[in-house]
Amino acid sequence: MSLVSDSALRRALARARDGKALDVTEVTVLLQARGEHLDALLEHASRVRDAGLRAVGREGIITYSKKVFIPLTRLCRDRCGYCTFATAPNKLPAPFLSPDEVLEIARQGAAMGCKEALFTLGDRPEDRWHQARSWLDAHGYDDTLSYVRAMAIRVLEETGLLPHLNPGVLTWRDLQRLKPVAPSMGMMLETTSRRLFEEKGEAHYGSPDKDPAVRLRVLEDAGRTNVPFTTGILIGIGETIEDRAESIFAIRRVAREYGGIQEVIVQNFRAKPDTAMRGLPDASLEELAATIAVARLVLGPRVRIQAPPNLVDSEYALMIRAGIDDWGGVSPLTPDHVNPERPWPQISLLETRTAESGFQLRERLTIYPEYVVAGEPWLDPRLFAHVAALADPATGLARPDAELRGLPWQEPDGGFASSGRVDLHVEVDTAGRTHDRRDDFDHVYGDWTALRDRLPSASPSATSSSTAPSDGAGSDLAARVAPSTTAGVPAAPAPGARVAGSAGADAAHPDAGPAGAAAGGAASAGAPAGGVAVVGASDGASLTGAPAGGGTPGEVRRALRRAAADPGGLSDAEAVALLAAEGEALDELAAIADDLRRQAVGDEVTYVVNRNINFTNVCYTGCRFCAFAQRRTDADAYTLSLDQVADRAQEAWDAGATEVCMQGGIHPDLPGTAYFDLARAVKERTPGMHVHAFSPMEVINGASRTDMSIQAWLEAAKEAGVDSLPGTAAEILDDDVRWVLTKGKLPAKEWVEVITTAHKVGIPTTSTMMYGHVDNHLHWVRHIKLIRSLQERTGGFSEFVLLPFVHTSAPIYLAGIARPGPTAAENRAVHALARILLHGSIKNIQCSWVKLRDDLCRQVLQGGVNDLGGTLMEETISRMAGSENGSYKTISELREMVEVTGRPVRQRTTEYGVPVDERLAASEASDGVCKSVRRVLPMA
């Protein structure tokens, strides 16, 4: 019975009819529509659905997927009160289906024309059941997901079916591992209700993977990883009407921001015997229809909405009127193992019932047609052939005449064939880039408007949250979804606000990431192994694209006294105050830093003769600050061959270089072992060259593609010739900042793990910070302090490099979200503060001449900096972003830059040693730059 007034329903229906944006209150009203109001609601929803189908050329078509259901394991670490799928080991013949059993199901499905292999399993059963752990160990698998990956590959190779993976909660790295073996994945959000998760006796109590914050993070990570993802809500499990409304809005936010939600399932609870919730009444089909219709209105015409046909009794027409455009997976072979008491309808019956409502039933693949047609970055190249064998290239739907046969799953061939604008490293200084932005600018980075919603208003109480509401979801949605452990975390001050004290700024910050929350239910403190806290999504620092904090003159003076007396003892608030120093206070800050520099490394200004080799700029990661990345078809795209890489290393060696720095885009065609090939190519041609190569993002990419652990991959890289790693891809080590700056780059804790593991296996790294975009001063302080804590733990950093944001051609600046980099005063202050905060920990502080003008380099050299980096020979990344300081500097130019300071200049090795005489002589002869990249000066 409706608990809302007739007038409220009529007002909300009128807004729906007129296509106006609905807020959470109006949606809550509409969810209670019944009778004539429900009829009107369904009519409005149908109209929106029909417009969406027309827009994609599928007017009058409702889709389904012909599938087999592969219950890889029914063991689960969760204890959901409504589930009959999960069971105990003593009720199963074995903890997991064997490979033969998996393939037998898949082969039978292929013989019946199925095209989807739905892998369903419990969440990480080895964490709860020792039988699962023993089975995996006995069969040579590190974890359940390794077995999932292996079985997905065998299904692809031996049957041709396309895997759709439902393994439960996945981390960002898990998604990286699984994307190459499955065109799509899924996980039901179910609900955003924390009550059902936290209160004893409720549906999700005692189930760590049902934390709503964790599940929303999975949806976000899937979008960041460009995985076509299925999700949905489950109604009738004890949630309130308001919970339903908020759950729909939460899904919409993720769908808008990333574009990766390919399908939303609206599923009704059906009570099952032998479960804790067997006595609850089923959600009524009218409730289901109203929820589907509201979901259609909120999610809009582009999102596909499904109702499972085996759970709607005979009310097919009602669900079609409500706005569905898909019936989901239907199997002619296997039962619905999650709802075993509800058999699938015959496909012929489904076709008839669909036709009775005026629609045609068409088969799709597990990956929805829009993503098939789009291809990269949504579909991994390893799966191109498998999908193409089954898909109509024009529509993306399943081909009725497709032949099911296994195809090899393998790393892409080639990858190192020379292609594209391979002379960009030279032409970037002459002809420049072809266009100021890519022609897919409006969508490749996600939805710019949705991204702006991540930037809170600039007020002292503004806090940032990765679950922040938008689009009328209600200002308290983040609080409802976020773990209660985040309550009371103080916000960072807005621009110009005073930092009252240091207690809040120095507090630990809870991390709502999947790994932390999955381990113990509610999200726990964000400290990876070893106890180093990573600033997480709930740290409270506001994202405003401008400084946070600042201090009164008195506070700045007190902070200066503290910095001089106890550099390492500065509180966050004091450090933030120093970043706002101006005039004489800024000069005093620089002097303090320079005294510490003199104590640590003396007066020498060092540089290295090196060459950057960016072996490809083809990349689909979606970093919004990066103007270097290109699609393979873009005019400025290029990839170097191994011989070209080796040739450039040889040229550098002949010019006296002691180091090559190799980094590149995350090219989808490059296998995970490509990085080893690059290192070997350089070492074979120039055995004495130090190979400083591969950012943490590239390490994760390589490890994921090879299904190796990070440690194993790094050990292999070291054996191949990698001597050290650049600590790039750090940007700001705060996920709230990172998820604005980039769509798909690795989370902060993954960066930390790669770096600390590299140090563990004996590979030193640099450390970096890119600043002055959508961050604030408190983020800078916390980032530098995190770097110090890592150094105290591992001792593996050789230097700290400050990288001011270059804005000119950066997409996030062109979209009007980032500010145009830091000010000159901020650059001086942050270089000085880095020296102060890192004193006694990291000796070498480096400035980037590429990003700073020569006069600013001179100023920071008098404020704590002792190193200028390298001659570089070819610097393309910053130049593509609009840096105007050239792509190389000769030794003479570096000496001239330093001369005014009166300090001596010395060439160094990567390890800050002294190069051998032969190297020094060669570099003097070339002036530190090879001839092939030298600018040709006009004749007088």
Side-chain angles (χ1 to χ4, degrees):
M1 185 176 183
S2 178
L3 300 179
V4 297
S5 68
D6 185 78
S7 60
L9 276 164
R10 290 187 185 279
R11 282 194 300 270
L13 285 167
R15 289 181 60 81
R17 177 198 63 210
D18 296 340
K20 295 180 179 178
L22 302 172
D23 63 25
V24 73
T25 301
E26 292 164 330
V27 164
T28 301
V29 169
L30 291 175
L31 284 167
Q32 300 172 74
R34 300 293 184 268
E36 64 174 331
H37 294 313
L38 179 58
D39 290 336
L41 177 64
L42 303 189
E43 180 183 346
H44 303 329
S46 291
R47 188 175 67 249
V48 174
R49 183 264 323 279
D50 294 345
L53 290 176
R54 280 195 301 273
V56 295
R58 293 203 300 274
E59 185 171 8
I61 291 175
I62 290 180
T63 50
Y64 80 103
S65 176
K66 197 173 183 181
K67 72 178 181 185
V68 292
F69 199 127
I70 300 177
L72 193 66
T73 179
R74 291 181 59 196
L75 301 182
C76 183
R77 69 175 184 173
D78 294 322
R79 297 172 172 85
C80 299
Y82 49 78
C83 182
T84 58
F85 179 76
T87 188
N90 62 1
K91 297 181 180 179
L92 297 171
F96 292 84
L97 293 184
S98 70
D100 287 344
E101 290 171 318
V102 169
L103 291 171
E104 180 59 24
I105 295 171
R107 290 190 184 106
Q108 289 182 34
M112 300 179 75
C114 297
K115 298 178 180 64
E116 173 186 346
L118 170 62
F119 283 79
T120 295
L121 54 149
D123 276 83
R124 304 182 190 274
E126 63 270 33
D127 289 355
R128 178 181 176 188
W129 301 107
H130 70 85
Q131 295 92 335
R133 178 72 270 167
S134 297
W135 190 97
L136 291 167
D137 290 341
H139 290 80
Y141 297 103
D142 292 336
D143 53 23
T144 294
L145 294 184
S146 294
Y147 188 47
V148 171
R149 191 178 194 273
M151 290 302 97
I153 292 172
R154 291 200 63 179
V155 166
L156 286 163
E157 291 195 322
E158 299 187 37
T159 71
L161 269 65
L162 302 177
H164 175 83
L165 306 182
N166 278 354
V169 165
L170 297 170
T171 66
W172 180 89
R173 197 190 308 171
D174 294 335
L175 289 157
Q176 295 279 330
R177 289 173 64 192
L178 296 177
K179 179 175 177 173
V181 304
S184 62
M185 300 181 219
M187 182 203 69
M188 294 285 284
L189 171 63
E190 297 191 13
T191 180
T192 55
S193 171
R194 294 207 62 78
R195 178 178 54 82
L196 298 188
F197 173 66
E198 293 174 343
E199 293 186 11
K200 190 172 183 179
E202 297 294 349
H204 292 151
Y205 184 77
S207 300
D209 300 297
K210 294 304 173 79
D211 184 337
V214 170
R215 296 179 87 78
L216 279 170
R217 180 61 64 85
V218 175
L219 301 190
E220 292 177 326
D221 284 343
R224 293 164 184 147
T225 315
N226 297 312
V227 172
F229 206 76
T230 294
T231 191
I233 63 172
L234 180 59
I235 69 169
I237 57 173
E239 80 287 359
T240 66
I241 298 294
E242 290 80 5
D243 291 334
R244 290 182 197 173
E246 290 171 353
S247 299
I248 295 169
F249 274 105
I251 291 172
R252 182 172 83 166
R253 180 185 60 78
V254 177
R256 283 187 60 215
E257 185 165 349
Y258 300 104
I261 301 296
Q262 66 165 3
E263 168 188 36
V264 174
I265 302 169
V266 182
Q267 182 173 331
N268 48 323
F269 166 75
R270 294 282 195 166
K272 299 173 179 62
D274 302 322
T275 66
M277 295 173 61
R278 58 187 176 272
L280 261 66
D282 291 350
S284 74
L285 295 181
E286 281 193 324
E287 272 187 282
L288 178 62
T291 307
I292 291 170
V294 165
R296 171 57 69 199
L297 293 172
V298 172
L299 297 172
R302 290 190 295 177
V303 173
R304 311 277 77 89
I305 296 181
Q306 175 211 129
N310 59 323
L311 301 182
V312 302
D313 297 339
S314 60
E315 295 289 352
Y316 300 98
L318 180 62
M319 304 309 147
I320 292 173
R321 288 174 58 209
I324 68 158
D325 48 20
D326 188 81
W327 286 118
V330 179
S331 179
L333 175 67
T334 52
D336 179 352
H337 288 274
V338 176
N339 298 282
E341 78 285 1
R342 297 277 174 171
W344 303 112
Q346 292 293 318
I347 293 173
S348 58
L349 174 65
L350 194 60
E351 185 173 22
T352 298
R353 295 291 180 261
T354 302
E356 288 172 353
S357 292
F359 286 83
Q360 179 187 0
L361 186 67
R362 289 285 302 275
E363 186 184 1
R364 62 166 172 85
L365 303 179
T366 178
I367 176 174
Y368 267 72
E370 294 86 337
Y371 299 89
V372 173
V373 173
E376 291 178 322
W378 300 104
L379 187 61
D380 191 278
R382 295 155 189 77
L383 299 170
F384 281 174
H386 302 85
V387 172
L390 305 179
D392 181 328
T395 66
L397 292 168
R399 281 201 348 255
D401 61 346
E403 178 185 354
L404 270 295
R405 59 187 178 86
L407 294 171
W409 181 92
Q410 58 190 23
E411 297 286 3
D413 294 330
F416 280 123
S418 175
S419 64
R421 197 178 174 188
V422 296
D423 56 358
L424 184 64
H425 68 294
V426 176
E427 288 196 351
V428 73
D429 283 336
T430 55
R433 57 183 300 143
T434 303
H435 305 289
D436 77 325
R437 68 190 73 189
R438 291 162 42 162
D439 60 17
D440 59 353
F441 177 89
D442 289 338
H443 59 84
V444 70
Y445 303 103
D447 185 278
W448 290 115
T449 301
L451 188 65
R452 289 186 185 95
D453 291 341
R454 282 189 174 271
L455 301 176
S457 59
S459 66
S461 61
T463 59
S464 63
S465 170
S466 64
T467 53
S470 63
D471 304 325
S475 61
D476 62 344
L477 175 56
R480 289 174 182 264
V481 176
S484 57
T485 51
T486 64
V489 176
R498 292 178 56 188
V499 182
S502 61
D506 288 336
H509 311 292
D511 177 13
S524 55
V532 178
V534 179
V535 178
S538 56
D539 72 348
S542 66
L543 299 180
T544 61
T552 65
E555 289 171 331
V556 173
R557 285 193 297 272
R558 286 192 293 274
L560 286 169
R561 289 196 296 271
R562 179 72 175 273
D566 181 17
L570 282 172
S571 70
D572 285 10
E574 290 167 331
V576 168
L578 291 177
L579 287 171
E582 297 176 338
E584 293 182 359
L586 181 55
D587 292 340
E588 184 178 347
L589 176 65
I592 293 169
D594 223 33
D595 284 343
L596 294 175
R597 182 266 306 160
R598 198 172 292 109
Q599 294 174 32
V601 293
D603 283 335
E604 284 184 332
V605 177
T606 51
Y607 67 90
V608 63
V609 176
N610 65 349
R611 182 171 192 169
N612 283 357
I613 303 177
N614 303 125
F615 47 88
T616 183
N617 65 352
V618 175
C619 187
Y620 293 86
T621 299
C623 293
R624 300 177 179 113
F625 62 86
C626 180
F628 180 67
Q630 305 290 306
R631 295 168 299 179
R632 65 174 83 236
T633 55
D634 288 336
D636 292 333
Y638 74 87
T639 299
L640 302 180
S641 68
L642 285 175
D643 284 341
Q644 287 172 317
V645 170
D647 289 345
R648 294 189 185 190
Q650 183 67 60
E651 285 185 341
W653 182 262
D654 294 343
T658 55
E659 170 193 301
V660 292
C661 177
M662 292 194 295
Q663 298 179 90
I666 306 300
H667 195 313
D669 286 351
L670 293 183
T673 55
Y675 302 104
F676 309 152
D677 297 334
L678 285 162
R680 290 190 191 100
V682 172
K683 285 292 190 179
E684 287 171 4
R685 187 72 68 88
T686 56
M689 188 75 81
H690 181 105
V691 176
H692 181 64
F694 314 134
S695 72
M697 181 66 193
E698 291 169 288
V699 173
I700 288 284
N701 181 54
S704 298
R705 293 190 182 189
T706 55
D707 201 28
M708 298 170 71
S709 69
I710 289 173
Q711 180 168 333
W713 194 93
L714 285 168
E715 288 170 344
K718 185 177 181 181
E719 184 178 349
V722 173
D723 297 301
S724 62
L725 263 59
T728 49
E731 283 55 272
I732 293 290
L733 291 171
D734 180 307
D735 282 343
D736 273 353
V737 176
R738 298 177 76 77
W739 298 141
V740 176
L741 274 179
T742 175
K743 179 182 176 184
K745 190 168 275 190
L746 75 172
K749 66 181 178 182
E750 302 287 351
W751 188 93
V752 169
E753 183 174 353
V754 170
I755 290 295
T756 54
T757 305
H759 296 172
K760 176 183 176 182
V761 302
I763 302 177
T765 75
T766 61
S767 56
T768 66
M769 181 175 79
M770 187 185 77
Y771 59 96
H773 30 75
V774 298
D775 50 3
N776 62 44
H777 289 171
L778 183 55
H779 291 123
W780 304 1
V781 169
R782 289 177 174 174
H783 179 104
I784 297 170
K785 287 192 171 185
L786 173 58
I787 294 297
R788 181 184 179 102
S789 68
L790 293 172
Q791 180 73 342
E792 290 171 348
R793 174 178 154 196
T794 69
F797 289 130
S798 59
E799 67 213 48
F800 182 64
V801 187
L802 293 116
L803 304 170
F805 173 59
V806 178
H807 70 282
T808 309
S809 296
I812 197 168
Y813 175 75
L814 296 176
I817 294 175
R819 66 181 176 126
T823 66
E826 285 179 306
N827 278 313
R828 287 185 63 197
V830 74
H831 281 79
L833 184 67
R835 169 61 70 186
I836 291 167
L837 291 179
L838 296 174
H839 182 62
S841 175
I842 297 177
K843 286 185 176 181
N844 300 299
I845 306 298
Q846 182 186 122
C847 67
S848 171
W849 61 257
V850 173
K851 299 173 187 293
L852 296 175
R853 301 186 310 273
D854 284 6
D855 62 326
L856 259 178
C857 285
R858 294 186 188 98
Q859 290 181 59
V860 299
L861 281 170
Q862 297 174 80
V865 169
N866 69 295
D867 189 75
L868 292 172
T871 58
L872 302 187
M873 302 194 197
E874 54 179 276
E875 201 298 318
T876 312
I877 295 175
S878 293
R879 293 289 287 118
M880 287 286 280
S883 168
E884 298 178 349
N885 300 314
S887 57
Y888 66 83
K889 276 203 183 297
T890 64
I891 294 174
S892 298
E893 289 170 329
L894 293 175
R895 287 171 176 164
E896 182 181 355
M897 183 196 305
V898 178
E899 185 177 12
V900 70
T901 69
R903 289 165 57 186
V905 182
R906 176 177 70 83
Q907 183 178 335
R908 63 168 173 87
T909 63
T910 307
E911 303 92 341
Y912 284 80
V914 178
V916 298
D917 289 344
E918 179 272 333
R919 291 287 82 202
L920 292 172
S923 63
E924 284 293 330
S926 70
D927 209 10
V929 176
C930 59
K931 291 181 180 178
S932 67
V933 303
R934 292 273 193 144
R935 291 180 288 271
V936 178
L937 299 177
M939 296 183 65

